[in-house]
Amino acid sequence: MPVTLTWTGHATWLVETGAGRLVVDPFFDECPTASMKAADVTCDAILVTHGHFDHVADLVSIAKRTGAKVLCTFEIAQWLGKHGVANTLAMNLGGQAAVPGGTAKMEIAWHSSSLPDGTYGGNPAGWLLDVGGARIYFAGDTALFSDMERIGRPHGGRGLDVAVLPIGDCFTMGPDDAVEAVRLLKPTLALPNHYGTWPPIEQDGAAWAAKVREAKLADAKVLVPGESVRIG
Ligand code: NI
Ligand code: MN
């Protein structure tokens, strides 16, 4: 069963696993580049990397309307509870849980995490998915870190099919460090995100993808918001 990944803009992704739809970091209505509105999102589970507004702005409304289970840190789960979202799975770094079509593991990320009202969000995270026969890594907001080599190591003889990486700089790693991340992760396909949304993170995604391909590190594709790729 092919897995479909759709970028809706910024750091928000829809993952069709064949057994359900996951949303990563729901940020739609206030995202200047979003391809859809929060009210039109349907999903079975929501994965959250950290508490910053550009990753959770539409989390409460979508979670309440859809009833989808939210996988997030313990601290974000507590905060969601106070906002009337009960269907959460409180996790922490290193934890793995079942999602429709496979599993999701909460990986490390070097960043910060507070919720829009200032509440501490726990550690920031990345997500390593094994769904529908595909291994997909969402780095979340992070600096480059050498454990990416470990995250990319083959598991059961299978390396990463896809690595989704921030290239925006300023708040996360920039283009050069993101190329190094691809070198460490060794995915088949690298997809850039978390750039082009606002002036501080303006970057040339096509130039970055060309650099990745020319260095023969991986295939790299630049999506426009609303565009999908099929894996497998
Ligand atoms: Ni952030
Ligand atoms: Mn961010």
Side-chain angles (χ1 to χ4, degrees), residues 10-11 25 50 52-55 111 140-141 171-172 194 198 201:
H10 195 56
D25 285 357
H50 67 297
H52 292 156
F53 78 97
D54 56 320
H55 301 260
H111 191 64
D141 283 12
F171 308 111
T172 67
H194 211 278
W198 300 286
I201 56 171

Side-chain angles (χ1 to χ4, degrees), residues 81-151:
K82 290 183 184 143
H83 286 80
V85 177
N87 193 14
T88 57
L89 181 65
M91 298 177 64
N92 216 321
L93 302 179
Q96 180 171 280
V99 290
T103 57
K105 183 181 178 192
M106 185 177 273
E107 267 293 350
I108 59 173
W110 281 100
H111 191 64
S112 59
S113 179
S114 50
L115 289 145
D117 62 3
T119 302
Y120 171 61
N123 283 302
W127 286 105
L128 180 58
L129 307 188
D130 194 331
V131 289
R135 298 188 69 231
I136 304 166
Y137 171 57
F138 291 92
D141 283 12
T142 187
L144 175 66
F145 56 91
S146 56
D147 256 38
M148 286 181 177
E149 184 274 330
R150 170 187 59 78
I151 292 169

Side-chain angles (χ1 to χ4, degrees), residues 3 30 63 70 105 131 165 169 194:
V3 173
E30 286 175 40
V70 182
K105 183 181 178 192
V131 289
L165 301 167
D169 216 328
H194 211 278

Side-chain angles (χ1 to χ4, degrees), residues 158-177:
R158 296 157 51 225
L160 289 181
D161 294 286
V162 184
V164 176
L165 301 167
I167 67 162
D169 216 328
C170 191
F171 308 111
T172 67
M173 57 185 170
D176 289 348
D177 280 353

